[in-house]
Amino acid sequence: MANQEAPRKGFADALIRLGEQHEDIVVLDADCAKSNMTNLFKNRFPERFFNIGISECDLVGTAAGMAIAGKVPFANAYANFLTGRAFDQMRISVCYSNNNVKIVGHNAGTSAAQEGATHLPLEDISLMRSLPRMTVIVPADAVEMEKAVEAAYYHKGPVYLRVGKLPVPIVTKREEPFEIGKAILYRSGTDVTIISTGIMLGESLKAAEELEMQNISAEVLHIHTIKPIDQEAIIASAAKTGHVITAEEHSIIGGLGSAVAEVLSEHQPAKLRRIGTNDRFGVSGKMDELLDLFELRAGRIAATAAELLGERVR
Amino acid sequence: MGFSEERKQFYSELTKTIRRHIVKMTNHAGSGHPGGSLSATELMSVLFFEHLNVNPADPDWDDRDCFFLSKGHCTPVYYSVLAEKGFFDTAELMTFRDVDGRLHGHPCGEHIPGVDVSSGSLGQGLSVANGVAMIAKLEGSSRRSYCMIGDGELQEGQVWEAAMTAAHFQLDNVCAIIDWNKIQLDDFVENIKGLKNLGDKFRSFGWHVVEIDGHDVEAVHEAFQEAKSTKGMPTAILAHTIKGKGISFMENTHEWHGLAPNDEQLEIALKELV
């Protein structure tokens, strides 16, 4: 079994490491410090940690004030409540005001698992992507998370960072460079492009292997930055393969799938299928069970790719 | 504690000048919010000219005091006070709400000197003020954070989240100014969703409360002094004001919450402000 790690652990480690180097980092949480592992930062730098209580709107506004006072605040809460409830505070106090606030949405995708629909953020990427000036980063695993936290800190301006709770396989490499807005080509192919974000990178790589057995050559392009999206990489790959599958642990409405569709339809029309949750709420279940239920699996990616290629005029 | 005759005369002139700006700006734009701007004129004037530690020549100076206009629609008074204080030329006031200008209907923090945050979605200012104040405490800075909130705006839940935060973190460097003009867009506040024992509300949230006549410049000045000398808790200044204050036909009516005077009405208003 592949080496596993919780993305939140990668987040917490990186935050502490950065906190040691940079005194301007402050961390806020909305009474989820234990769950979000921001308590590790609190233990190390108690004076630079602020628990604002169960009030996401106030959390985001307070972070904006801290940015005005010259700090680089990381505002943490569960992604569903944070992006849903405090959307307007991000819109006005953060993005329109151009405040240097890092918004950290925890319990990404299916990782709140048995908490059920209220706690499964499947719309957060869509919401955050719509905000002018917001950079949206969705790392694949704990290793990439560490790099993303660092990049978010050095990026001047609002950032949304999506962090998962439960352990997932480490599929990225520590030495791989990370640059906001730059897609990473994980596998070259000629027949179909699988574009993934977040934890779907692992399933996409597995799908590419399955396709190889069927003599289908799949390219895997990992998009850790949904916004600004790497148009060039998407266009180049689609120009080569003509067939694109997107895979995300999120609704197919407004997230990666939509972002890729926008790029393709304007610049490089290609056959496209989007894999994600289909305009529905979650349920309670183990994370693996939810990924099965939503068919966020390599098998479905491979089958969809084969089906799409079957439509190819031969 | 009070003002000299000379200082009183200064404010008498300044507030008239600001009120003239307010009616001229809204007339120029053909839209805007004169009512809540006229009610806040003395509060804003005394804050900016006596208490707010800012430097118009260096608006982003690190240790400056911060002011947040949470009732963001009252840009006519805000821009007027900023211009009179020297953050930009008063001539620019007559570009209010122009498409090619920066003095938008609601304040844009990025573009206007002296404006630290954008506002216009009600309820957000006090949280931002708290954030500045918490960092001031962390760094041992004496900077203070002020936030003006409308009375109707108190219906927004975030205000009370922030009120709890300010009390919990003992932010005695935070001062909230409630422009209690009793009127919101549709009607009197008491007819929409009444405030009921507002002083007790703030006190029970852990705030020091000062209740004043918001058009009495000496009372306003003393309230800000009292806020500065209050330790261990934030201060809320509940300022009783009159919506549309200073223009007879605008006073105490919700009709002038968001209505601009036409040329004829402007002429009458300016005569009343001589």
Side-chain angles (χ1 to χ4, degrees), chain A residues 123-129 136 138 162 226 250 254-256:
Chain A
E123 310 84 12
D124 56 320
I125 298 173
S126 174
L127 287 166
M128 293 298 96
R129 195 167 78 85
V136 180
V138 184
R162 193 182 206 229
I226 307 275
H250 180 271
L256 173 73

Side-chain angles (χ1 to χ4, degrees), chain B residues 203-264:
Chain B
R203 272 186 287 271
S204 69
F205 269 67
W207 286 60
H208 178 63
V209 173
V210 190
E211 202 160 333
I212 56 162
D213 171 355
H215 297 303
D216 176 344
V217 291
E218 286 182 296
V220 173
H221 176 50
E222 284 165 19
F224 283 127
Q225 282 177 325
E226 186 172 328
K228 278 181 188 169
S229 61
T230 300
K231 298 299 169 200
M233 57 172 71
T235 294
I237 297 174
L238 309 188
H240 292 275
T241 59
I242 294 166
K243 194 137 180 169
K245 172 74 175 178
I247 318 290
S248 57
F249 57 90
M250 291 187 183
E251 283 193 2
N252 210 29
T253 165
H254 63 83
E255 304 298 337
W256 288 93
H257 166 87
L259 187 65
N262 62 27
D263 292 350
E264 197 181 321

Side-chain angles (χ1 to χ4, degrees), chain A residues 187 191-192 208 211-218 302 305-306 309:
Chain A
R187 187 185 165 114
D191 296 327
V192 60
L211 288 166
E212 195 177 1
M213 316 261 260
Q214 304 169 40
N215 291 321
I216 294 172
S217 165
L309 285 164

Side-chain angles (χ1 to χ4, degrees), chain B residues 8 15 55 73 84-85 95 113 118 136 190 260:
Chain B
K8 280 189 227 172
T15 52
N55 179 4
H73 53 283
E84 287 296 333
K85 183 74 182 173
T95 65
S118 304
E190 289 310 305

Side-chain angles (χ1 to χ4, degrees), chain A:
Chain A
M1 192 166 181
N3 186 23
Q4 297 214 345
E5 178 82 278
R8 62 176 166 163
K9 181 64 168 51
F11 167 75
D13 289 346
L15 199 58
I16 290 168
R17 204 165 52 240
L18 279 169
E20 274 161 4
Q21 298 161 18
H22 305 285
E23 282 217 352
D24 56 1
I25 292 182
V26 292
V27 175
L28 305 87
D29 207 313
D31 190 38
C32 298
K34 281 185 285 187
S35 173
N36 298 341
M37 290 191 168
T38 54
N39 63 341
L40 301 178
F41 185 93
K42 176 194 175 185
N43 294 343
R44 179 73 184 80
F45 309 105
E47 72 289 352
R48 287 196 266 150
F49 176 83
F50 302 88
N51 200 330
I52 303 297
I54 309 164
S55 42
E56 291 78 11
C57 302
D58 188 36
L59 172 98
V60 171
T62 307
M66 291 178 171
I68 290 168
K71 297 296 178 189
V72 182
F74 281 72
N76 299 266
Y78 291 160
N80 44 309
F81 304 132
L82 187 55
T83 62
R85 205 169 191 122
F87 180 82
D88 192 37
Q89 285 71 21
M90 291 187 220
R91 181 169 180 264
I92 304 301
S93 294
V94 176
C95 290
Y96 180 44
S97 302
N98 208 10
N99 277 319
N100 191 22
V101 176
K102 313 308 166 189
I103 305 288
V104 189
H106 289 266
N107 278 4
T110 57
S111 69
Q114 288 169 305
E115 303 305 329
T118 53
H119 285 57
L120 298 182
L122 299 172
E123 310 84 12
D124 56 320
I125 298 173
S126 174
L127 287 166
M128 293 298 96
R129 195 167 78 85
S130 71
L131 285 173
R133 292 186 181 140
M134 187 69 98
T135 292
V136 180
I137 307 179
V138 184
D141 56 26
V143 167
E144 190 170 63
M145 182 66 66
E146 293 189 39
K147 293 183 251 184
V149 175
E150 196 167 311
Y153 170 77
Y154 287 111
H155 176 82
K156 198 160 166 47
V159 172
Y160 177 70
L161 184 64
R162 193 182 206 229
V163 179
K165 178 182 184 180
L166 299 179
V168 291
I170 303 290
V171 291
T172 66
K173 295 192 170 54
R174 202 163 281 280
E175 61 275 15
E176 182 87 58
F178 182 99
E179 191 184 336
I180 287 176
K182 280 276 173 243
I184 301 174
L185 186 64
Y186 265 84
R187 187 185 165 114
S188 285
T190 52
D191 296 327
V192 60
T193 305
I194 304 169
I195 302 180
S196 71
T197 195
I199 66 165
M200 294 308 288
L201 173 59
E203 296 295 322
S204 300
L205 290 169
K206 273 192 249 170
E209 283 169 27
E210 287 180 26
L211 288 166
E212 195 177 1
M213 316 261 260
Q214 304 169 40
N215 291 321
I216 294 172
S217 165
E219 178 144 307
V220 177
L221 190 63
H222 173 51
I223 300 271
H224 50 65
T225 308
I226 307 275
K227 188 182 171 195
I229 200 156
D230 190 342
Q231 295 204 24
E232 279 180 30
I234 293 168
I235 292 167
S237 185
K240 182 165 64 168
T241 65
H243 299 80
V244 178
I245 310 282
T246 59
E248 61 196 305
E249 190 198 13
H250 180 271
S251 171
I252 58 168
I253 299 174
L256 173 73
S258 294
V260 169
E262 289 160 17
V263 174
L264 294 180
S265 56
E266 285 193 355
H267 302 287
Q268 183 65 48
K271 291 207 168 206
L272 172 72
R273 291 288 182 276
R274 294 168 297 154
I275 291 175
T277 54
N278 293 314
D279 198 19
R280 61 162 294 176
F281 289 107
V283 294
S284 278
K286 300 270 167 55
M287 186 169 168
D288 272 347
E289 294 168 343
L290 292 178
L291 292 172
D292 288 341
L293 178 72
F294 298 147
E295 295 185 274
L296 301 178
R297 291 299 194 192
R300 162 119 180 273
I301 297 172
T304 306
E307 187 187 301
L308 191 63
L309 285 164
E311 294 174 17
R312 178 166 53 178
V313 181
R314 290 180 191 272

